[in-house]
Amino acid sequence: MKILAADYILLMDRNFTVLENGGVVFDEKIIDYSDDVEDLKRVYQTAEVQYLGKNSVLLPGFINSHVHLEFSANKTTLNYGSFMTWLDSVMENRDELMSKCGDSCMELALANMLKSGVTSLGAISSFGKDMEACVKTPQKVVYFSELIGSSMASADALFADFKERVDNSMGKKGDSFFPAVAIHSPYSVHPIVLNKGLEVAKENTMPVSAHFMESPSERKWLDSGTGEFKAFFQKFLNTDTPVTDSKRYLDSFDGVNVLFTHCVNINDEELSKLASLGATVVHCPVSNRLLGVGKLDLEKLKNNEIPFVVGTDGLSSNTSLSILDEIRTALMVHTDLDLNLLAKDLLKGVTSIPARSLGLNCGEIKEGLDADLISFILPDVLSDNSTIASSIILHLKEAENIFINGEKIKWNF
Ligand SMILES: [Zn+2]
């Protein structure tokens, strides 16, 4: 049993409680916490006590809800600026990028996330090449095997490949590896295949991650079968009609625990549907900026009572997998929102909310939850404690201490 004492402890509960000069007691699970460390020492006399230092901050470990590890070799290969430019460069360079990213490349990506305090992640796997790294990593991984296939001619083969990857992941299921299902997008998955994929998720009570309304091109293609996607589908898939529309796509998710990624170009009707599905939106602001798709409307999500979480997306559309870099960007791009309120929402979007959406027993400092804890040192004393959330996002880069299931994680880079 251990007691960590810190100058500031963020419970990440609904009220955004901050304990000053408090402590957290844990073994594999969190046992107790208090703003009176001396009291904790009296009650838990055998516990080993560690003070985390002046200006220390203790939080539940961060959760990166959406990352594509298999694309981690990209630096300057893919082209940014617009979604179609980017997609064309993905089609051209995908095989080369895949072959350049072996186990060590993905292990480095995982380690860089860990460095920023990420103790759990949602990994979107296109090919299953990232499974070994995800099984081996100390972090908790919700492992989303992704289904793609818009053409009925190849649907059976693509579904069989997907099913094999899901089955392989289920063979590795454990305390920190949770198999799940990803649906690539409405334009790339035929409704018949989509329903088969969602059946797999329902049968096994798995969360589902699905891209939705990322680009204006996707909006136009699904609404009217026109725009830049038309030439793309003619060139690569020999078709010029969409396989579905957004209503049919969203209706398929009834009864599924689903996280929709991006939703930058979503309309009001779709937002109401997401709310009725109880869905979560995954916000990837750096990816959205690099691909020129626009900016997610966080106010509209709030008005529809749709929770949002944050993901880095992959290095195919980012330069960093640090979740702190990502929420710092989010803080900067939403210029219309109050800085300090947004900062609190962003911290919830990388702790308590994704834990609930992904079905993980962590994300808050609360009795009975897994002891996934991270600590940082702020550069100076806070003159106003109500700014702690924005100060964390603006100033912190690397975690000082990382505990997963109460185990101290040692890492060297
Ligand atoms: Zn993605």
Side-chain angles (χ1 to χ4, degrees), residues 159-224:
F159 185 78
D161 174 72
F162 158 80
K163 189 66 177 47
E164 193 183 336
R165 284 183 283 119
V166 173
D167 289 345
N168 286 343
S169 71
M170 286 174 76
K172 301 282 184 183
K173 190 175 175 174
D175 291 344
S176 65
F177 184 83
F178 310 99
V181 165
I183 302 297
H184 182 266
S185 74
Y187 57 83
S188 60
V189 182
H190 192 282
I192 295 174
V193 187
L194 170 64
N195 287 330
K196 285 173 77 174
L198 293 178
E199 274 312 310
V200 173
K202 282 184 207 166
E203 275 163 25
N204 298 288
T205 340
M206 292 167 167
V208 173
S209 183
H211 295 113
F212 184 62
M213 284 300 168
E214 179 173 10
S215 64
S217 311
E218 177 178 345
R219 171 90 269 162
K220 211 164 179 184
W221 174 245
L222 292 176
D223 285 351
S224 61

Short mmCIF file of all heavy atoms in Angstrom, two decimals, residues 159-224:
data_model
loop_
_atom_site.label_atom_id
_atom_site.label_comp_id
_atom_site.label_asym_id
_atom_site.label_seq_id
_atom_site.Cartn_x
_atom_site.Cartn_y
_atom_site.Cartn_z
N PHE A 159 -14.50 -8.79 -44.98
CA PHE A 159 -15.11 -9.11 -43.68
C PHE A 159 -14.37 -10.28 -43.02
O PHE A 159 -14.12 -10.26 -41.81
CB PHE A 159 -16.60 -9.42 -43.81
CG PHE A 159 -17.24 -9.64 -42.46
CD1 PHE A 159 -17.57 -8.56 -41.66
CD2 PHE A 159 -17.44 -10.93 -41.97
CE1 PHE A 159 -18.11 -8.75 -40.40
CE2 PHE A 159 -17.97 -11.13 -40.70
CZ PHE A 159 -18.32 -10.04 -39.92
N ALA A 160 -14.02 -11.27 -43.82
CA ALA A 160 -13.29 -12.43 -43.27
C ALA A 160 -11.95 -12.00 -42.67
O ALA A 160 -11.56 -12.46 -41.58
CB ALA A 160 -13.07 -13.48 -44.37
N ASP A 161 -11.29 -11.08 -43.36
CA ASP A 161 -10.01 -10.56 -42.85
C ASP A 161 -10.22 -9.81 -41.52
O ASP A 161 -9.48 -10.01 -40.55
CB ASP A 161 -9.39 -9.64 -43.90
CG ASP A 161 -8.14 -8.95 -43.38
OD1 ASP A 161 -7.12 -9.65 -43.24
OD2 ASP A 161 -8.18 -7.73 -43.09
N PHE A 162 -11.25 -8.98 -41.50
CA PHE A 162 -11.60 -8.24 -40.27
C PHE A 162 -11.90 -9.21 -39.12
O PHE A 162 -11.39 -9.08 -38.01
CB PHE A 162 -12.82 -7.34 -40.56
CG PHE A 162 -13.61 -6.93 -39.34
CD1 PHE A 162 -13.19 -5.89 -38.52
CD2 PHE A 162 -14.81 -7.57 -39.04
CE1 PHE A 162 -13.93 -5.51 -37.41
CE2 PHE A 162 -15.56 -7.20 -37.92
CZ PHE A 162 -15.12 -6.17 -37.10
N LYS A 163 -12.71 -10.23 -39.42
CA LYS A 163 -13.14 -11.19 -38.39
C LYS A 163 -11.92 -11.94 -37.83
O LYS A 163 -11.83 -12.19 -36.63
CB LYS A 163 -14.17 -12.14 -38.99
CG LYS A 163 -14.86 -13.05 -37.99
CD LYS A 163 -15.73 -12.26 -37.00
CE LYS A 163 -16.50 -13.11 -36.02
NZ LYS A 163 -15.81 -14.17 -35.35
N GLU A 164 -11.01 -12.27 -38.72
CA GLU A 164 -9.79 -12.97 -38.28
C GLU A 164 -8.98 -12.08 -37.33
O GLU A 164 -8.49 -12.54 -36.30
CB GLU A 164 -8.95 -13.35 -39.50
CG GLU A 164 -7.86 -14.35 -39.17
CD GLU A 164 -6.98 -14.66 -40.38
OE1 GLU A 164 -7.43 -14.50 -41.52
OE2 GLU A 164 -5.82 -15.06 -40.13
N ARG A 165 -8.89 -10.79 -37.66
CA ARG A 165 -8.14 -9.87 -36.79
C ARG A 165 -8.84 -9.69 -35.44
O ARG A 165 -8.19 -9.66 -34.40
CB ARG A 165 -7.96 -8.51 -37.49
CG ARG A 165 -6.89 -8.55 -38.59
CD ARG A 165 -6.67 -7.18 -39.23
NE ARG A 165 -7.71 -6.82 -40.17
CZ ARG A 165 -8.50 -5.75 -40.05
NH1 ARG A 165 -8.35 -4.93 -39.04
NH2 ARG A 165 -9.42 -5.49 -40.96
N VAL A 166 -10.19 -9.62 -35.48
CA VAL A 166 -10.92 -9.51 -34.20
C VAL A 166 -10.68 -10.77 -33.36
O VAL A 166 -10.39 -10.69 -32.15
CB VAL A 166 -12.44 -9.31 -34.43
CG1 VAL A 166 -13.20 -9.36 -33.10
CG2 VAL A 166 -12.71 -7.98 -35.12
N ASP A 167 -10.79 -11.94 -34.01
CA ASP A 167 -10.60 -13.20 -33.27
C ASP A 167 -9.19 -13.27 -32.67
O ASP A 167 -9.02 -13.69 -31.52
CB ASP A 167 -10.84 -14.40 -34.20
CG ASP A 167 -12.33 -14.55 -34.53
OD1 ASP A 167 -13.16 -13.92 -33.85
OD2 ASP A 167 -12.65 -15.28 -35.50
N ASN A 168 -8.20 -12.85 -33.46
CA ASN A 168 -6.82 -12.83 -32.93
C ASN A 168 -6.72 -11.93 -31.70
O ASN A 168 -6.08 -12.29 -30.71
CB ASN A 168 -5.84 -12.30 -33.99
CG ASN A 168 -5.58 -13.32 -35.08
OD1 ASN A 168 -5.88 -14.50 -34.90
ND2 ASN A 168 -5.07 -12.87 -36.20
N SER A 169 -7.36 -10.77 -31.78
CA SER A 169 -7.28 -9.84 -30.64
C SER A 169 -8.00 -10.43 -29.43
O SER A 169 -7.57 -10.25 -28.30
CB SER A 169 -7.83 -8.46 -31.01
OG SER A 169 -9.24 -8.49 -31.16
N MET A 170 -9.10 -11.15 -29.68
CA MET A 170 -9.83 -11.73 -28.54
C MET A 170 -9.00 -12.81 -27.84
O MET A 170 -9.14 -13.02 -26.63
CB MET A 170 -11.17 -12.28 -29.00
CG MET A 170 -12.15 -11.13 -29.28
SD MET A 170 -13.70 -11.66 -29.99
CE MET A 170 -14.51 -12.34 -28.57
N GLY A 171 -8.13 -13.43 -28.58
CA GLY A 171 -7.22 -14.41 -27.99
C GLY A 171 -6.21 -13.77 -27.04
O GLY A 171 -5.60 -14.44 -26.22
N LYS A 172 -6.02 -12.47 -27.19
CA LYS A 172 -5.03 -11.76 -26.35
C LYS A 172 -5.71 -10.96 -25.23
O LYS A 172 -5.02 -10.24 -24.49
CB LYS A 172 -4.23 -10.77 -27.22
CG LYS A 172 -3.47 -11.40 -28.35
CD LYS A 172 -2.22 -12.07 -27.86
CE LYS A 172 -1.41 -12.63 -29.01
NZ LYS A 172 -0.22 -13.35 -28.55
N LYS A 173 -7.02 -11.03 -25.15
CA LYS A 173 -7.77 -10.25 -24.17
C LYS A 173 -7.20 -10.46 -22.75
O LYS A 173 -6.90 -11.59 -22.37
CB LYS A 173 -9.24 -10.68 -24.21
CG LYS A 173 -10.16 -9.80 -23.42
CD LYS A 173 -11.61 -10.22 -23.62
CE LYS A 173 -12.50 -9.39 -22.72
NZ LYS A 173 -13.90 -9.63 -22.95
N GLY A 174 -7.04 -9.37 -22.02
CA GLY A 174 -6.47 -9.49 -20.68
C GLY A 174 -6.79 -8.28 -19.84
O GLY A 174 -7.66 -7.48 -20.20
N ASP A 175 -6.04 -8.12 -18.73
CA ASP A 175 -6.31 -7.02 -17.80
C ASP A 175 -6.05 -5.65 -18.40
O ASP A 175 -6.55 -4.64 -17.92
CB ASP A 175 -5.43 -7.16 -16.56
CG ASP A 175 -5.87 -8.36 -15.73
OD1 ASP A 175 -6.99 -8.84 -15.96
OD2 ASP A 175 -5.07 -8.80 -14.88
N SER A 176 -5.18 -5.60 -19.43
CA SER A 176 -4.88 -4.28 -19.99
C SER A 176 -5.01 -4.27 -21.51
O SER A 176 -4.52 -3.35 -22.17
CB SER A 176 -3.48 -3.84 -19.55
OG SER A 176 -2.54 -4.69 -20.11
N PHE A 177 -5.66 -5.27 -22.07
CA PHE A 177 -5.84 -5.31 -23.53
C PHE A 177 -7.29 -5.72 -23.82
O PHE A 177 -7.71 -6.82 -23.49
CB PHE A 177 -4.86 -6.32 -24.15
CG PHE A 177 -4.92 -6.38 -25.65
CD1 PHE A 177 -4.23 -5.46 -26.43
CD2 PHE A 177 -5.68 -7.35 -26.29
CE1 PHE A 177 -4.30 -5.51 -27.82
CE2 PHE A 177 -5.75 -7.41 -27.67
CZ PHE A 177 -5.05 -6.49 -28.43
N PHE A 178 -8.04 -4.78 -24.41
CA PHE A 178 -9.48 -4.98 -24.58
C PHE A 178 -9.86 -4.91 -26.05
O PHE A 178 -9.85 -3.83 -26.65
CB PHE A 178 -10.24 -3.90 -23.79
CG PHE A 178 -9.78 -3.75 -22.36
CD1 PHE A 178 -8.88 -2.74 -22.00
CD2 PHE A 178 -10.21 -4.64 -21.38
CE1 PHE A 178 -8.44 -2.61 -20.69
CE2 PHE A 178 -9.78 -4.51 -20.07
CZ PHE A 178 -8.89 -3.50 -19.72
N PRO A 179 -10.20 -6.04 -26.65
CA PRO A 179 -10.58 -6.05 -28.07
C PRO A 179 -11.86 -5.25 -28.32
O PRO A 179 -12.77 -5.25 -27.49
CB PRO A 179 -10.81 -7.53 -28.37
CG PRO A 179 -10.16 -8.27 -27.27
CD PRO A 179 -10.22 -7.38 -26.07
N ALA A 180 -11.91 -4.57 -29.46
CA ALA A 180 -13.07 -3.75 -29.82
C ALA A 180 -13.15 -3.66 -31.35
O ALA A 180 -12.31 -4.23 -32.06
CB ALA A 180 -12.93 -2.37 -29.18
N VAL A 181 -14.17 -2.95 -31.83
CA VAL A 181 -14.43 -2.88 -33.27
C VAL A 181 -14.38 -1.43 -33.74
O VAL A 181 -14.94 -0.55 -33.09
CB VAL A 181 -15.82 -3.50 -33.58
CG1 VAL A 181 -16.29 -3.14 -34.98
CG2 VAL A 181 -15.79 -5.01 -33.40
N ALA A 182 -13.72 -1.20 -34.89
CA ALA A 182 -13.76 0.12 -35.53
C ALA A 182 -14.41 0.00 -36.90
O ALA A 182 -14.21 -0.99 -37.61
CB ALA A 182 -12.36 0.70 -35.67
N ILE A 183 -15.21 1.01 -37.23
CA ILE A 183 -15.82 1.10 -38.55
C ILE A 183 -15.12 2.25 -39.26
O ILE A 183 -15.10 3.37 -38.72
CB ILE A 183 -17.34 1.38 -38.43
CG1 ILE A 183 -18.04 0.29 -37.60
CG2 ILE A 183 -17.97 1.57 -39.80
CD1 ILE A 183 -17.99 -1.11 -38.17
N HIS A 184 -14.56 2.01 -40.45
CA HIS A 184 -13.74 3.06 -41.05
C HIS A 184 -14.52 4.35 -41.28
O HIS A 184 -14.13 5.41 -40.80
CB HIS A 184 -13.07 2.58 -42.35
CG HIS A 184 -12.19 3.63 -42.93
ND1 HIS A 184 -12.62 4.51 -43.91
CD2 HIS A 184 -10.92 4.01 -42.64
CE1 HIS A 184 -11.64 5.36 -44.19
NE2 HIS A 184 -10.61 5.07 -43.44
N SER A 185 -15.64 4.29 -42.02
CA SER A 185 -16.41 5.52 -42.30
C SER A 185 -17.68 5.16 -43.04
O SER A 185 -17.81 4.06 -43.58
CB SER A 185 -15.59 6.49 -43.14
OG SER A 185 -15.54 6.02 -44.47
N PRO A 186 -18.63 6.12 -43.15
CA PRO A 186 -19.86 5.82 -43.91
C PRO A 186 -19.59 5.61 -45.40
O PRO A 186 -20.31 4.85 -46.05
CB PRO A 186 -20.74 7.07 -43.69
CG PRO A 186 -19.86 8.11 -43.11
CD PRO A 186 -18.71 7.41 -42.46
N TYR A 187 -18.57 6.27 -45.94
CA TYR A 187 -18.33 6.16 -47.39
C TYR A 187 -17.52 4.92 -47.77
O TYR A 187 -17.48 4.54 -48.92
CB TYR A 187 -17.65 7.43 -47.93
CG TYR A 187 -16.34 7.79 -47.27
CD1 TYR A 187 -15.14 7.20 -47.66
CD2 TYR A 187 -16.30 8.73 -46.23
CE1 TYR A 187 -13.94 7.53 -47.06
CE2 TYR A 187 -15.10 9.06 -45.62
CZ TYR A 187 -13.93 8.46 -46.04
OH TYR A 187 -12.75 8.78 -45.41
N SER A 188 -16.89 4.29 -46.77
CA SER A 188 -15.98 3.19 -47.11
C SER A 188 -16.45 1.83 -46.59
O SER A 188 -15.73 0.84 -46.75
CB SER A 188 -14.59 3.49 -46.56
OG SER A 188 -14.67 3.63 -45.14
N VAL A 189 -17.62 1.78 -45.96
CA VAL A 189 -18.12 0.49 -45.45
C VAL A 189 -19.55 0.29 -45.95
O VAL A 189 -20.44 1.09 -45.63
CB VAL A 189 -18.08 0.42 -43.90
CG1 VAL A 189 -18.54 -0.94 -43.42
CG2 VAL A 189 -16.67 0.70 -43.38
N HIS A 190 -19.76 -0.76 -46.73
CA HIS A 190 -21.08 -1.06 -47.27
C HIS A 190 -22.04 -1.41 -46.12
O HIS A 190 -21.63 -2.09 -45.16
CB HIS A 190 -20.98 -2.25 -48.25
CG HIS A 190 -22.22 -2.43 -49.06
ND1 HIS A 190 -23.35 -3.02 -48.54
CD2 HIS A 190 -22.51 -2.08 -50.33
CE1 HIS A 190 -24.29 -3.03 -49.47
NE2 HIS A 190 -23.81 -2.46 -50.58
N PRO A 191 -23.31 -0.94 -46.17
CA PRO A 191 -24.24 -1.18 -45.06
C PRO A 191 -24.37 -2.65 -44.66
O PRO A 191 -24.51 -2.94 -43.46
CB PRO A 191 -25.57 -0.68 -45.60
CG PRO A 191 -25.23 0.29 -46.66
CD PRO A 191 -23.91 -0.12 -47.24
N ILE A 192 -24.29 -3.56 -45.61
CA ILE A 192 -24.41 -4.99 -45.25
C ILE A 192 -23.21 -5.42 -44.41
O ILE A 192 -23.34 -6.10 -43.39
CB ILE A 192 -24.54 -5.85 -46.53
CG1 ILE A 192 -25.86 -5.51 -47.24
CG2 ILE A 192 -24.45 -7.34 -46.21
CD1 ILE A 192 -26.05 -6.17 -48.58
N VAL A 193 -22.03 -4.98 -44.84
CA VAL A 193 -20.79 -5.30 -44.11
C VAL A 193 -20.80 -4.60 -42.75
O VAL A 193 -20.41 -5.17 -41.73
CB VAL A 193 -19.55 -4.85 -44.92
CG1 VAL A 193 -18.27 -5.34 -44.28
CG2 VAL A 193 -19.64 -5.35 -46.35
N LEU A 194 -21.29 -3.35 -42.75
CA LEU A 194 -21.37 -2.57 -41.50
C LEU A 194 -22.19 -3.32 -40.46
O LEU A 194 -21.76 -3.48 -39.31
CB LEU A 194 -21.99 -1.20 -41.81
CG LEU A 194 -22.38 -0.32 -40.61
CD1 LEU A 194 -21.15 0.07 -39.81
CD2 LEU A 194 -23.10 0.94 -41.07
N ASN A 195 -23.36 -3.79 -40.88
CA ASN A 195 -24.22 -4.49 -39.91
C ASN A 195 -23.57 -5.76 -39.39
O ASN A 195 -23.69 -6.09 -38.21
CB ASN A 195 -25.59 -4.79 -40.53
CG ASN A 195 -26.40 -3.50 -40.65
OD1 ASN A 195 -26.25 -2.59 -39.85
ND2 ASN A 195 -27.24 -3.41 -41.67
N LYS A 196 -22.84 -6.47 -40.26
CA LYS A 196 -22.13 -7.68 -39.80
C LYS A 196 -21.05 -7.32 -38.77
O LYS A 196 -20.88 -7.99 -37.75
CB LYS A 196 -21.49 -8.41 -40.98
CG LYS A 196 -22.51 -9.17 -41.84
CD LYS A 196 -21.88 -9.73 -43.09
CE LYS A 196 -21.05 -10.99 -42.83
NZ LYS A 196 -20.56 -11.61 -44.08
N GLY A 197 -20.36 -6.22 -39.03
CA GLY A 197 -19.31 -5.77 -38.10
C GLY A 197 -19.90 -5.36 -36.76
O GLY A 197 -19.35 -5.69 -35.70
N LEU A 198 -21.04 -4.65 -36.82
CA LEU A 198 -21.66 -4.20 -35.57
C LEU A 198 -22.24 -5.37 -34.79
O LEU A 198 -22.29 -5.32 -33.55
CB LEU A 198 -22.73 -3.13 -35.86
CG LEU A 198 -22.18 -1.80 -36.41
CD1 LEU A 198 -23.31 -0.83 -36.72
CD2 LEU A 198 -21.18 -1.16 -35.45
N GLU A 199 -22.67 -6.41 -35.49
CA GLU A 199 -23.13 -7.63 -34.80
C GLU A 199 -22.01 -8.21 -33.94
O GLU A 199 -22.23 -8.66 -32.82
CB GLU A 199 -23.61 -8.68 -35.81
CG GLU A 199 -25.07 -8.53 -36.24
CD GLU A 199 -26.04 -8.31 -35.07
OE1 GLU A 199 -25.98 -9.10 -34.10
OE2 GLU A 199 -26.81 -7.33 -35.12
N VAL A 200 -20.80 -8.23 -34.50
CA VAL A 200 -19.64 -8.74 -33.75
C VAL A 200 -19.45 -7.94 -32.46
O VAL A 200 -19.25 -8.49 -31.38
CB VAL A 200 -18.35 -8.67 -34.62
CG1 VAL A 200 -17.12 -9.05 -33.81
CG2 VAL A 200 -18.48 -9.57 -35.85
N ALA A 201 -19.58 -6.61 -32.59
CA ALA A 201 -19.42 -5.74 -31.41
C ALA A 201 -20.52 -6.02 -30.39
O ALA A 201 -20.26 -6.11 -29.19
CB ALA A 201 -19.43 -4.27 -31.83
N LYS A 202 -21.76 -6.15 -30.88
CA LYS A 202 -22.89 -6.36 -29.96
C LYS A 202 -22.77 -7.71 -29.24
O LYS A 202 -22.96 -7.79 -28.02
CB LYS A 202 -24.22 -6.31 -30.73
CG LYS A 202 -24.68 -4.91 -31.07
CD LYS A 202 -26.05 -4.99 -31.75
CE LYS A 202 -26.29 -3.82 -32.66
NZ LYS A 202 -27.41 -4.00 -33.58
N GLU A 203 -22.46 -8.75 -30.02
CA GLU A 203 -22.32 -10.10 -29.42
C GLU A 203 -21.30 -10.12 -28.29
O GLU A 203 -21.43 -10.85 -27.32
CB GLU A 203 -21.84 -11.10 -30.49
CG GLU A 203 -22.94 -11.69 -31.33
CD GLU A 203 -22.37 -12.33 -32.60
OE1 GLU A 203 -21.17 -12.73 -32.60
OE2 GLU A 203 -23.13 -12.41 -33.59
N ASN A 204 -20.24 -9.33 -28.44
CA ASN A 204 -19.15 -9.36 -27.46
C ASN A 204 -19.13 -8.13 -26.54
O ASN A 204 -18.14 -7.93 -25.83
CB ASN A 204 -17.81 -9.48 -28.21
CG ASN A 204 -17.72 -10.77 -29.00
OD1 ASN A 204 -17.57 -11.84 -28.43
ND2 ASN A 204 -17.87 -10.67 -30.31
N THR A 205 -20.21 -7.35 -26.56
CA THR A 205 -20.30 -6.11 -25.78
C THR A 205 -19.03 -5.26 -25.87
O THR A 205 -18.41 -4.89 -24.87
CB THR A 205 -20.61 -6.40 -24.29
OG1 THR A 205 -21.17 -7.69 -24.17
CG2 THR A 205 -21.59 -5.40 -23.74
N MET A 206 -18.64 -4.96 -27.11
CA MET A 206 -17.43 -4.17 -27.34
C MET A 206 -17.81 -2.73 -27.70
O MET A 206 -18.80 -2.51 -28.38
CB MET A 206 -16.65 -4.73 -28.54
CG MET A 206 -16.04 -6.09 -28.33
SD MET A 206 -15.52 -6.73 -29.94
CE MET A 206 -14.50 -8.10 -29.42
N PRO A 207 -17.00 -1.76 -27.28
CA PRO A 207 -17.22 -0.41 -27.80
C PRO A 207 -16.85 -0.34 -29.28
O PRO A 207 -16.06 -1.16 -29.77
CB PRO A 207 -16.27 0.46 -26.96
CG PRO A 207 -15.25 -0.46 -26.42
CD PRO A 207 -15.84 -1.84 -26.37
N VAL A 208 -17.43 0.62 -29.98
CA VAL A 208 -17.16 0.78 -31.41
C VAL A 208 -16.65 2.20 -31.66
O VAL A 208 -17.19 3.16 -31.11
CB VAL A 208 -18.44 0.53 -32.24
CG1 VAL A 208 -18.21 0.86 -33.71
CG2 VAL A 208 -18.90 -0.92 -32.08
N SER A 209 -15.61 2.31 -32.47
CA SER A 209 -15.08 3.61 -32.87
C SER A 209 -15.34 3.77 -34.36
O SER A 209 -15.09 2.86 -35.14
CB SER A 209 -13.57 3.64 -32.60
OG SER A 209 -13.05 4.91 -32.90
N ALA A 210 -15.89 4.92 -34.76
CA ALA A 210 -16.21 5.10 -36.18
C ALA A 210 -15.90 6.54 -36.60
O ALA A 210 -16.26 7.48 -35.89
CB ALA A 210 -17.69 4.81 -36.42
N HIS A 211 -15.22 6.69 -37.74
CA HIS A 211 -15.02 8.04 -38.28
C HIS A 211 -16.36 8.53 -38.83
O HIS A 211 -17.11 7.76 -39.42
CB HIS A 211 -13.99 8.02 -39.41
CG HIS A 211 -12.61 7.64 -38.97
ND1 HIS A 211 -11.99 6.48 -39.36
CD2 HIS A 211 -11.72 8.27 -38.16
CE1 HIS A 211 -10.78 6.41 -38.82
NE2 HIS A 211 -10.59 7.49 -38.09
N PHE A 212 -16.62 9.83 -38.66
CA PHE A 212 -17.87 10.37 -39.20
C PHE A 212 -17.75 11.86 -39.51
O PHE A 212 -17.27 12.63 -38.68
CB PHE A 212 -19.03 10.14 -38.21
CG PHE A 212 -20.37 10.58 -38.73
CD1 PHE A 212 -20.92 9.99 -39.86
CD2 PHE A 212 -21.07 11.59 -38.10
CE1 PHE A 212 -22.16 10.40 -40.35
CE2 PHE A 212 -22.32 12.01 -38.58
CZ PHE A 212 -22.85 11.41 -39.71
N MET A 213 -18.16 12.23 -40.68
CA MET A 213 -18.25 13.63 -41.15
C MET A 213 -16.98 14.42 -40.84
O MET A 213 -17.02 15.48 -40.22
CB MET A 213 -19.48 14.32 -40.54
CG MET A 213 -20.76 13.89 -41.19
SD MET A 213 -20.77 14.29 -42.97
CE MET A 213 -22.23 13.35 -43.47
N GLU A 214 -15.88 13.86 -41.34
CA GLU A 214 -14.60 14.52 -41.14
C GLU A 214 -14.45 15.74 -42.07
O GLU A 214 -14.13 16.82 -41.62
CB GLU A 214 -13.47 13.50 -41.39
CG GLU A 214 -12.07 14.07 -41.22
CD GLU A 214 -11.00 13.01 -41.32
OE1 GLU A 214 -11.34 11.86 -41.72
OE2 GLU A 214 -9.84 13.32 -41.01
N SER A 215 -14.70 15.53 -43.37
CA SER A 215 -14.38 16.58 -44.35
C SER A 215 -15.62 17.11 -45.06
O SER A 215 -16.65 16.42 -45.14
CB SER A 215 -13.42 16.00 -45.40
OG SER A 215 -14.10 14.97 -46.12
N PRO A 216 -15.53 18.32 -45.63
CA PRO A 216 -16.63 18.81 -46.47
C PRO A 216 -16.88 17.89 -47.67
O PRO A 216 -18.01 17.74 -48.12
CB PRO A 216 -16.14 20.19 -46.95
CG PRO A 216 -15.11 20.59 -45.96
CD PRO A 216 -14.47 19.32 -45.49
N SER A 217 -15.81 17.22 -48.17
CA SER A 217 -15.97 16.28 -49.30
C SER A 217 -16.86 15.11 -48.91
O SER A 217 -17.68 14.64 -49.70
CB SER A 217 -14.62 15.74 -49.75
OG SER A 217 -13.71 16.77 -49.94
N GLU A 218 -16.67 14.61 -47.68
CA GLU A 218 -17.50 13.49 -47.19
C GLU A 218 -18.97 13.94 -47.10
O GLU A 218 -19.88 13.20 -47.49
CB GLU A 218 -16.98 13.05 -45.82
CG GLU A 218 -17.80 11.94 -45.18
CD GLU A 218 -17.23 11.48 -43.83
OE1 GLU A 218 -16.07 11.81 -43.53
OE2 GLU A 218 -17.96 10.79 -43.09
N ARG A 219 -19.17 15.15 -46.57
CA ARG A 219 -20.53 15.71 -46.46
C ARG A 219 -21.21 15.72 -47.84
O ARG A 219 -22.32 15.22 -48.00
CB ARG A 219 -20.38 17.14 -45.91
CG ARG A 219 -21.58 18.04 -45.87
CD ARG A 219 -22.35 17.93 -44.58
NE ARG A 219 -23.39 16.94 -44.67
CZ ARG A 219 -24.00 16.38 -43.63
NH1 ARG A 219 -23.66 16.69 -42.40
NH2 ARG A 219 -24.94 15.48 -43.81
N LYS A 220 -20.51 16.26 -48.83
CA LYS A 220 -21.07 16.42 -50.17
C LYS A 220 -21.35 15.06 -50.83
O LYS A 220 -22.40 14.85 -51.44
CB LYS A 220 -20.07 17.21 -51.03
CG LYS A 220 -20.73 18.06 -52.08
CD LYS A 220 -19.76 19.09 -52.62
CE LYS A 220 -20.50 19.91 -53.69
NZ LYS A 220 -19.64 20.86 -54.34
N TRP A 221 -20.42 14.16 -50.66
CA TRP A 221 -20.54 12.82 -51.28
C TRP A 221 -21.74 12.08 -50.70
O TRP A 221 -22.56 11.50 -51.43
CB TRP A 221 -19.25 12.06 -51.05
CG TRP A 221 -19.23 10.61 -51.49
CD1 TRP A 221 -19.10 9.53 -50.69
CD2 TRP A 221 -19.30 10.11 -52.83
NE1 TRP A 221 -19.09 8.37 -51.42
CE2 TRP A 221 -19.21 8.70 -52.75
CE3 TRP A 221 -19.43 10.71 -54.09
CZ2 TRP A 221 -19.25 7.88 -53.88
CZ3 TRP A 221 -19.47 9.88 -55.21
CH2 TRP A 221 -19.38 8.49 -55.10
N LEU A 222 -21.89 12.10 -49.38
CA LEU A 222 -22.99 11.36 -48.75
C LEU A 222 -24.34 12.04 -48.99
O LEU A 222 -25.37 11.37 -49.10
CB LEU A 222 -22.75 11.21 -47.24
CG LEU A 222 -21.59 10.30 -46.85
CD1 LEU A 222 -21.39 10.31 -45.36
CD2 LEU A 222 -21.79 8.87 -47.34
N ASP A 223 -24.32 13.38 -49.09
CA ASP A 223 -25.58 14.10 -49.32
C ASP A 223 -26.06 13.98 -50.75
O ASP A 223 -27.26 13.84 -51.01
CB ASP A 223 -25.43 15.59 -48.98
CG ASP A 223 -25.39 15.83 -47.47
OD1 ASP A 223 -25.65 14.88 -46.71
OD2 ASP A 223 -25.09 16.97 -47.07
N SER A 224 -25.11 14.06 -51.70
CA SER A 224 -25.56 14.19 -53.09
C SER A 224 -24.77 13.37 -54.10
O SER A 224 -25.03 13.45 -55.31
CB SER A 224 -25.49 15.67 -53.49
OG SER A 224 -24.14 16.11 -53.40
#
